[in-house]
Amino acid sequence: MIYDLRDRDVPMPLTVGGLIGAGVYALINGLWAPVLLTIALTHVADFNPKEKRLAFGLTLAAFSAIFQPEAALICALILGFWVLWEFSILGGADVKLLIAATLVLGNPIVLIPIAVSGGIQGVIASLQKKREIPFVASIFCGTLLFVVYPYF
Amino acid sequence: MALRFLKDNRGIESTEVALIIAVVVLVSYGAYRLLGQNIASIVTDVAGRI
C-alpha cells in the first residue's frame, strides 16, 4: 500500500508473493479449482489475439465452476477481475491482490467492503479534483474491515 | 514465457472506475438478496426438467 501511494506501482515480489501464498493457503483449505483457474489465466494472458484469451478464460472458468460448484462464485469473481485487467480497467497489481484476498478469505462477500472503500476513495478524490486513485489502499482497507467486522 | 499478467504492477485506477465498481457491486448484491431465492428455485426447476 505504501509503495502504491508513493509510486502508483507495487513491486512484483509483493504481489506475486502474496498471490502464491494465497494460492497455497487456498489449496490447503480445499479451494483447488479457483487456484488452478488463477494459474491457467496467468498463462492464458500471453495468448494472442485478445478474443482467444477471453474465450479461453471464459471456458476455463466455466470448467472450474463445474468441477467445484461450491467455489463457482469465487471462480466467477476471479474471471471478472482478470477480464477487467484484460480491458485495462484495473491494474495488474490490484487484480493480483484482489485474487489473493478472495483466495485467502474464500468468501466473495469481501468484494463488498473493498468496493465500498473504493467508492468512498473515488468520491473523496473527485472532490479533490483528482483523476486517479491508488486502489491498493481500498483493497487493504476493505479486506481489513471484512476480517475485523465480526469482532465488533 | 512472457507472463504478462504477473509482470504488470500497475496499481492505479481512475476515480470513475472506482465509483462504477462500487455501484455495480452494491446493485448486484442487492439484486442477489432480493431475487437470489427465486433464481435458485428457477435454476432447480430447469435442472429438474432436464
Side-chain angles (χ1 to χ4, degrees):
Chain A
M1 189 173 76
I2 294 163
Y3 281 104
D4 191 40
L5 289 171
R6 198 188 301 155
D7 311 325
R8 305 292 160 90
D9 223 35
V10 187
M12 196 168 90
L14 283 180
T15 54
V16 175
L19 194 59
I20 291 170
V24 171
Y25 184 81
L27 273 179
I28 292 166
N29 286 313
L31 287 174
W32 56 270
V35 175
L36 286 182
L37 175 64
T38 306
I39 295 168
L41 288 178
T42 302
H43 289 282
V44 167
D46 294 329
F47 289 5
N48 279 313
K50 190 179 202 168
E51 290 76 20
K52 190 176 169 185
R53 291 198 292 272
L54 293 173
F56 265 96
L58 191 63
T59 310
L60 287 167
F63 273 106
S64 304
I66 289 166
F67 283 119
Q68 196 175 22
E70 62 271 22
L73 202 52
I74 295 174
C75 293
L77 266 184
I78 291 171
L79 178 73
F81 296 145
W82 183 80
V83 169
L84 288 174
W85 169 77
E86 190 60 58
F87 284 96
S88 294
I89 296 169
L90 284 178
D94 297 331
V95 169
K96 277 177 266 181
L97 291 174
L98 281 168
I99 293 175
T102 312
L103 286 176
V104 167
L105 297 168
N107 190 346
I109 300 293
V110 69
L111 187 60
I112 293 172
I114 291 174
V116 171
S117 304
I120 292 167
Q121 202 183 1
V123 169
I124 293 168
S126 297
L127 291 173
Q128 293 174 335
K129 310 274 186 226
K130 287 180 183 169
R131 302 259 326 141
E132 292 172 326
I133 55 167
F135 200 64
V136 171
S138 298
I139 297 171
F140 179 77
C141 292
T143 309
L144 191 68
L145 192 67
F146 180 83
V147 173
V148 170
Y149 182 73
Y151 298 103
F152 289 101
Chain B
M1 212 177 341
L3 294 177
R4 198 169 60 93
F5 177 60
L6 294 182
K7 287 177 182 168
D8 183 359
N9 296 320
R10 286 176 300 131
I12 186 164
E13 260 62 62
S14 70
T15 51
E16 292 88 356
V17 167
L19 290 171
I20 290 167
I21 288 173
V23 170
V24 168
V25 167
L26 288 177
V27 169
S28 306
Y29 183 66
Y32 173 75
R33 288 297 294 258
L34 278 173
L35 306 171
Q37 199 59 47
N38 291 342
I39 293 168
S41 62
I42 290 168
V43 170
T44 310
D45 184 45
V46 170
R49 284 170 195 266
I50 292 170

Coordinates of all heavy atoms in Angstrom, one line a residue, chain A residues 4 8-10 12 43 45-46 53 85-86 89-94 96 112 115 119 131-133 135, chain B residues 1-19 21-22 25-26 29 32:
Chain A
D4 N 2.2 1.8 -3.4 CA 1.2 2.2 -4.3 C 0.9 3.7 -4.1 O 0.8 4.4 -5.1 CB -0.1 1.4 -4.2 CG -1.1 1.6 -5.3 OD1 -0.6 1.7 -6.4 OD2 -2.2 1.7 -5.0
R8 N 2.5 4.6 -7.3 CA 1.4 4.1 -8.1 C 1.8 2.8 -8.8 O 1.4 2.4 -9.9 CB 0.9 5.1 -9.2 CG 0.5 6.4 -8.6 CD -0.7 6.2 -7.7 NE -1.0 7.3 -6.8 CZ -1.7 8.4 -7.0 NH1 -2.2 8.6 -8.2 NH2 -1.9 9.3 -6.1
D9 N 2.8 2.1 -8.2 CA 3.3 0.8 -8.8 C 3.7 -0.1 -7.6 O 4.5 0.4 -6.7 CB 4.6 1.2 -9.6 CG 4.6 0.4 -10.9 OD1 3.5 0.2 -11.5 OD2 5.7 0.1 -11.4
V10 N 3.2 -1.3 -7.6 CA 3.5 -2.2 -6.5 C 4.6 -3.1 -6.9 O 4.5 -3.7 -8.0 CB 2.3 -2.9 -6.0 CG1 2.5 -3.7 -4.7 CG2 1.1 -2.0 -5.8
M12 N 6.8 -6.2 -7.9 CA 6.3 -7.6 -8.3 C 6.4 -8.6 -7.2 O 5.5 -9.4 -7.0 CB 7.0 -8.0 -9.6 CG 6.3 -9.2 -10.2 SD 6.9 -9.5 -11.9 CE 8.2 -10.7 -11.6
H43 N -1.4 -18.0 -17.6 CA -0.8 -18.4 -18.8 C -1.6 -18.0 -20.0 O -1.0 -17.6 -21.1 CB -0.6 -19.9 -18.8 CG 0.5 -20.4 -17.9 ND1 1.8 -20.3 -18.3 CD2 0.4 -20.9 -16.7 CE1 2.5 -20.8 -17.2 NE2 1.7 -21.1 -16.3
A45 N -3.1 -15.3 -20.3 CA -2.9 -13.9 -20.6 C -1.8 -13.6 -21.7 O -1.8 -12.5 -22.2 CB -2.4 -13.2 -19.3
D46 N -1.0 -14.6 -22.0 CA 0.0 -14.5 -23.0 C -0.5 -14.9 -24.4 O 0.3 -14.8 -25.4 CB 1.3 -15.3 -22.6 CG 1.9 -14.7 -21.4 OD1 1.8 -13.5 -21.2 OD2 2.5 -15.5 -20.6
R53 N -7.8 -15.1 -25.9 CA -7.6 -15.0 -24.5 C -8.9 -15.1 -23.7 O -9.1 -15.8 -22.8 CB -6.8 -13.8 -24.1 CG -5.4 -13.7 -24.5 CD -4.6 -12.6 -23.8 NE -5.0 -11.3 -24.1 CZ -4.5 -10.5 -25.0 NH1 -3.6 -11.1 -25.8 NH2 -4.9 -9.3 -25.2
W85 N -8.8 -6.6 -15.9 CA -7.4 -6.3 -16.2 C -7.1 -6.4 -17.7 O -6.4 -5.5 -18.2 CB -6.5 -7.3 -15.4 CG -5.1 -7.3 -15.9 CD1 -4.2 -6.3 -15.5 CD2 -4.5 -8.2 -16.8 NE1 -3.0 -6.6 -16.2 CE2 -3.1 -7.7 -16.9 CE3 -4.9 -9.3 -17.5 CZ2 -2.2 -8.4 -17.8 CZ3 -4.0 -10.0 -18.3 CH2 -2.7 -9.5 -18.4
E86 N -7.7 -7.3 -18.3 CA -7.5 -7.6 -19.7 C -8.0 -6.3 -20.5 O -7.4 -6.0 -21.5 CB -8.4 -8.8 -20.2 CG -8.1 -9.3 -21.6 CD -6.7 -9.7 -21.8 OE1 -6.1 -10.6 -21.1 OE2 -6.1 -9.1 -22.7
I89 N -9.0 -1.9 -17.3 CA -9.8 -1.1 -16.3 C -9.2 -1.2 -14.9 O -9.2 -0.2 -14.2 CB -11.2 -1.7 -16.3 CG1 -11.9 -1.5 -17.7 CG2 -12.1 -1.0 -15.2 CD1 -13.2 -2.2 -17.9
L90 N -8.6 -2.3 -14.6 CA -7.9 -2.5 -13.3 C -6.4 -2.8 -13.6 O -6.1 -3.4 -14.6 CB -8.5 -3.6 -12.5 CG -9.8 -3.4 -11.8 CD1 -10.2 -4.7 -11.1 CD2 -9.7 -2.3 -10.8
G91 N -5.5 -2.3 -12.7 CA -4.1 -2.5 -12.8 C -3.7 -4.0 -12.4 O -4.5 -4.6 -11.7
G92 N -2.6 -4.5 -12.9 CA -2.2 -5.8 -12.6 C -2.0 -6.1 -11.1 O -2.4 -7.1 -10.6
A93 N -1.4 -5.1 -10.4 CA -1.1 -5.3 -9.0 C -2.4 -5.4 -8.2 O -2.6 -6.2 -7.3 CB -0.3 -4.1 -8.5
D94 N -3.4 -4.6 -8.6 CA -4.7 -4.6 -7.9 C -5.4 -5.9 -8.1 O -5.9 -6.5 -7.2 CB -5.6 -3.5 -8.5 CG -5.0 -2.1 -8.2 OD1 -4.3 -2.0 -7.2 OD2 -5.3 -1.2 -9.0
K96 N -4.1 -8.9 -8.9 CA -3.4 -9.9 -8.2 C -3.7 -9.9 -6.7 O -4.0 -10.9 -6.0 CB -1.8 -9.8 -8.3 CG -1.4 -10.4 -9.6 CD 0.1 -10.2 -9.8 CE 0.4 -9.0 -10.7 NZ 1.7 -8.7 -11.0
I112 N -17.5 -6.6 -1.3 CA -18.4 -5.5 -1.0 C -17.7 -4.4 -0.2 O -17.7 -3.3 -0.6 CB -19.7 -6.0 -0.2 CG1 -20.5 -6.9 -1.2 CG2 -20.5 -4.9 0.3 CD1 -21.6 -7.6 -0.6
A115 N -15.2 -2.7 -2.5 CA -15.9 -1.8 -3.5 C -16.4 -0.6 -2.8 O -16.2 0.5 -3.4 CB -17.0 -2.6 -4.2
G119 N -15.3 3.2 -3.6 CA -16.2 4.2 -3.9 C -16.0 5.4 -3.1 O -16.0 6.6 -3.6
R131 N -7.9 12.7 -10.7 CA -8.4 11.9 -11.7 C -8.1 10.4 -11.4 O -8.8 9.5 -11.9 CB -7.9 12.2 -13.1 CG -8.1 13.6 -13.5 CD -9.3 13.8 -14.5 NE -9.5 12.8 -15.4 CZ -10.7 12.3 -15.8 NH1 -11.8 12.9 -15.3 NH2 -10.8 11.4 -16.7
E132 N -7.1 10.1 -10.6 CA -6.7 8.8 -10.3 C -6.5 8.5 -8.9 O -6.1 9.4 -8.1 CB -5.4 8.5 -11.1 CG -5.6 8.5 -12.6 CD -4.3 8.4 -13.4 OE1 -3.3 9.0 -12.9 OE2 -4.2 7.8 -14.4
I133 N -6.7 7.2 -8.5 CA -6.6 6.8 -7.1 C -5.7 5.6 -7.0 O -5.8 4.7 -7.9 CB -7.9 6.6 -6.4 CG1 -8.8 5.6 -7.2 CG2 -8.7 7.9 -6.2 CD1 -10.0 5.1 -6.4
F135 N -5.7 2.2 -5.9 CA -6.8 1.3 -5.4 C -6.4 0.3 -4.4 O -7.2 -0.3 -3.7 CB -7.4 0.6 -6.7 CG -8.7 0.0 -6.5 CD1 -9.8 0.8 -6.2 CD2 -9.0 -1.4 -6.5 CE1 -11.1 0.3 -6.0 CE2 -10.2 -1.9 -6.4 CZ -11.3 -1.1 -6.1
Chain B
M1 N 8.7 -17.5 -21.9 CA 7.4 -17.3 -21.3 C 7.3 -15.8 -20.9 O 8.1 -15.3 -20.2 CB 7.2 -18.2 -20.1 CG 5.8 -18.6 -20.0 SD 5.4 -19.7 -18.7 CE 6.8 -20.5 -18.2
A2 N 6.3 -15.1 -21.4 CA 6.2 -13.7 -21.2 C 5.6 -13.4 -19.8 O 6.0 -12.5 -19.1 CB 5.4 -13.0 -22.3
L3 N 4.6 -14.1 -19.4 CA 3.9 -13.9 -18.1 C 3.5 -12.4 -17.9 O 3.8 -11.8 -16.9 CB 4.8 -14.4 -16.9 CG 5.0 -15.9 -16.9 CD1 5.9 -16.3 -15.7 CD2 3.7 -16.7 -16.8
R4 N 2.8 -11.9 -18.9 CA 2.4 -10.5 -19.0 C 1.6 -10.2 -17.7 O 1.7 -9.1 -17.2 CB 1.5 -10.4 -20.2 CG 1.2 -9.0 -20.7 CD 0.6 -9.0 -22.1 NE -0.7 -9.7 -22.1 CZ -1.9 -9.1 -21.9 NH1 -1.9 -7.8 -21.8 NH2 -3.0 -9.8 -22.0
F5 N 0.7 -11.1 -17.3 CA -0.1 -10.8 -16.1 C 0.7 -10.6 -14.8 O 0.5 -9.7 -14.1 CB -1.1 -12.0 -15.9 CG -2.0 -11.8 -14.7 CD1 -2.9 -10.8 -14.6 CD2 -2.0 -12.8 -13.7 CE1 -3.7 -10.6 -13.5 CE2 -2.8 -12.7 -12.6 CZ -3.7 -11.6 -12.5
L6 N 1.7 -11.5 -14.6 CA 2.5 -11.4 -13.4 C 3.4 -10.1 -13.4 O 3.7 -9.6 -12.4 CB 3.3 -12.6 -13.2 CG 2.5 -13.9 -12.9 CD1 3.5 -15.1 -12.7 CD2 1.6 -13.8 -11.7
K7 N 3.8 -9.7 -14.6 CA 4.8 -8.6 -14.7 C 4.1 -7.2 -14.6 O 4.8 -6.2 -14.5 CB 5.6 -8.7 -16.0 CG 6.6 -9.8 -15.9 CD 7.3 -9.9 -17.3 CE 8.3 -11.1 -17.2 NZ 8.8 -11.4 -18.6
D8 N 2.8 -7.2 -14.7 CA 2.0 -5.9 -14.7 C 1.9 -5.5 -13.2 O 1.2 -6.1 -12.5 CB 0.7 -6.1 -15.3 CG -0.1 -4.8 -15.4 OD1 0.4 -3.8 -14.9 OD2 -1.2 -4.8 -15.9
N9 N 2.5 -4.4 -12.9 CA 2.5 -3.9 -11.5 C 1.7 -2.6 -11.3 O 1.9 -2.0 -10.3 CB 3.9 -3.7 -11.0 CG 4.7 -5.0 -10.9 OD1 4.1 -6.1 -10.5 ND2 5.9 -5.0 -11.3
R10 N 0.9 -2.3 -12.3 CA 0.2 -1.0 -12.1 C -0.8 -1.1 -11.0 O -1.5 -2.1 -10.8 CB -0.6 -0.7 -13.4 CG 0.2 -0.3 -14.6 CD -0.6 -0.1 -15.8 NE -1.2 -1.4 -16.2 CZ -2.5 -1.5 -16.5 NH1 -3.3 -0.5 -16.5 NH2 -3.0 -2.7 -16.9
G11 N -0.8 -0.1 -10.2 CA -1.7 0.0 -9.0 C -2.5 1.2 -9.0 O -2.6 1.9 -7.9
I12 N -3.1 1.6 -10.1 CA -3.8 2.9 -10.2 C -5.0 2.8 -11.0 O -5.1 2.1 -12.0 CB -2.8 4.0 -10.8 CG1 -3.5 5.3 -10.7 CG2 -2.4 3.6 -12.2 CD1 -2.5 6.4 -11.0
E13 N -6.1 3.4 -10.5 CA -7.4 3.4 -11.2 C -7.9 4.8 -11.3 O -7.6 5.7 -10.5 CB -8.3 2.6 -10.4 CG -8.5 1.2 -10.9 CD -7.2 0.4 -10.8 OE1 -6.7 0.2 -9.7 OE2 -6.7 0.0 -11.9
S14 N -8.8 5.0 -12.3 CA -9.4 6.3 -12.4 C -10.5 6.4 -11.3 O -11.1 5.3 -11.0 CB -9.9 6.6 -13.8 OG -11.0 5.7 -14.0
T15 N -10.9 7.6 -10.9 CA -11.9 7.7 -9.9 C -13.3 7.2 -10.4 O -14.0 6.6 -9.7 CB -12.1 9.2 -9.5 OG1 -12.2 10.0 -10.7 CG2 -10.9 9.7 -8.7
E16 N -13.5 7.4 -11.7 CA -14.8 6.9 -12.3 C -14.9 5.4 -12.2 O -16.0 4.9 -11.8 CB -14.9 7.3 -13.8 CG -15.0 8.8 -14.0 CD -13.6 9.5 -14.1 OE1 -12.6 8.8 -13.9 OE2 -13.6 10.7 -14.4
V17 N -13.8 4.7 -12.4 CA -13.8 3.2 -12.4 C -14.2 2.8 -11.0 O -15.0 1.9 -10.7 CB -12.5 2.6 -12.8 CG1 -12.3 1.2 -12.5 CG2 -12.3 2.8 -14.3
A18 N -13.5 3.4 -10.0 CA -13.8 3.0 -8.6 C -15.3 3.2 -8.2 O -15.9 2.4 -7.6 CB -12.9 3.9 -7.6
L19 N -15.8 4.3 -8.7 CA -17.2 4.6 -8.4 C -18.2 3.6 -9.1 O -19.1 3.1 -8.5 CB -17.6 6.1 -8.8 CG -17.0 7.1 -7.9 CD1 -17.2 8.5 -8.5 CD2 -17.6 7.1 -6.5
I21 N -17.4 0.6 -10.1 CA -17.3 -0.7 -9.4 C -18.1 -0.8 -8.2 O -18.8 -1.8 -7.9 CB -15.8 -1.1 -9.1 CG1 -15.1 -1.4 -10.5 CG2 -15.7 -2.3 -8.2 CD1 -13.6 -1.5 -10.3
A22 N -18.1 0.3 -7.4 CA -18.8 0.3 -6.1 C -20.3 0.2 -6.4 O -21.0 -0.6 -5.7 CB -18.5 1.6 -5.3
V25 N -21.2 -3.4 -7.8 CA -21.2 -4.4 -6.7 C -22.4 -4.3 -5.8 O -23.0 -5.3 -5.4 CB -19.8 -4.3 -6.0 CG1 -19.9 -5.2 -4.7 CG2 -18.7 -4.8 -6.8
L26 N -22.7 -3.1 -5.4 CA -23.8 -2.9 -4.4 C -25.1 -3.3 -5.1 O -26.0 -3.9 -4.4 CB -23.8 -1.5 -3.9 CG -22.7 -1.1 -2.9 CD1 -22.7 0.3 -2.5 CD2 -22.7 -2.0 -1.7
Y29 N -25.3 -7.1 -5.4 CA -25.6 -7.7 -4.1 C -27.0 -7.5 -3.7 O -27.7 -8.4 -3.2 CB -24.6 -7.1 -3.0 CG -24.8 -7.8 -1.7 CD1 -24.4 -9.1 -1.5 CD2 -25.3 -7.1 -0.6 CE1 -24.6 -9.7 -0.3 CE2 -25.4 -7.7 0.6 CZ -25.1 -9.0 0.8 OH -25.2 -9.6 2.0
Y32 N -29.2 -9.7 -5.7 CA -29.0 -11.1 -5.2 C -29.8 -11.4 -3.9 O -30.4 -12.4 -3.8 CB -27.5 -11.4 -5.0 CG -27.2 -12.8 -4.4 CD1 -27.3 -13.9 -5.1 CD2 -26.9 -12.9 -3.0 CE1 -27.1 -15.2 -4.5 CE2 -26.7 -14.1 -2.4 CZ -26.8 -15.2 -3.2 OH -26.6 -16.5 -2.6

